Amino acid sequence: MESIVNLLLKNMGNMLELGRQRAFELGNPFYAQFKEDGEYWRKELPNGEKYVVSMEIIYGEHNKPVDVKDTVIKKLR
């Protein structure tokens, strides 16, 4: 019988989708970085619109992230 860790590692592709679903459940955009976008990130909104953006993470007390500021580079189809 395979360990749970090994089963999870086999399905790492699911992690991206689970993160995307959770972001949308919370009403937030989903950000992911892909090699073809270089230093930029992809932003997907719950309505399906997709963008390539530059991103800055704003940190608050105790160096914890509190906000994300992004700048649209281009809209994807």
Side-chain angles (χ1 to χ4, degrees), residues 15-25 28 30 44:
M15 297 302 288
L16 186 71
E17 183 58 30
L18 290 172
R20 181 176 167 272
Q21 287 176 9
R22 183 64 180 147
F24 293 164
E25 286 171 5
N28 295 323
F30 175 69
E44 184 175 351

Side-chain angles (χ1 to χ4, degrees), residues 34-70:
F34 296 95
K35 188 189 326 186
E36 61 265 25
D37 297 326
E39 65 186 88
Y40 299 114
W41 291 75
R42 289 201 187 181
K43 175 182 180 179
E44 184 175 351
L45 301 177
N47 67 5
E49 291 180 8
K50 295 180 184 180
Y51 302 89
V52 173
V53 300
S54 63
M55 185 170 60
E56 177 187 2
I57 299 173
I58 309 300
Y59 294 91
E61 278 188 54
H62 309 292
N63 206 29
K64 292 186 177 181
V66 294
D67 197 11
V68 175
K69 304 244 183 225
D70 60 56

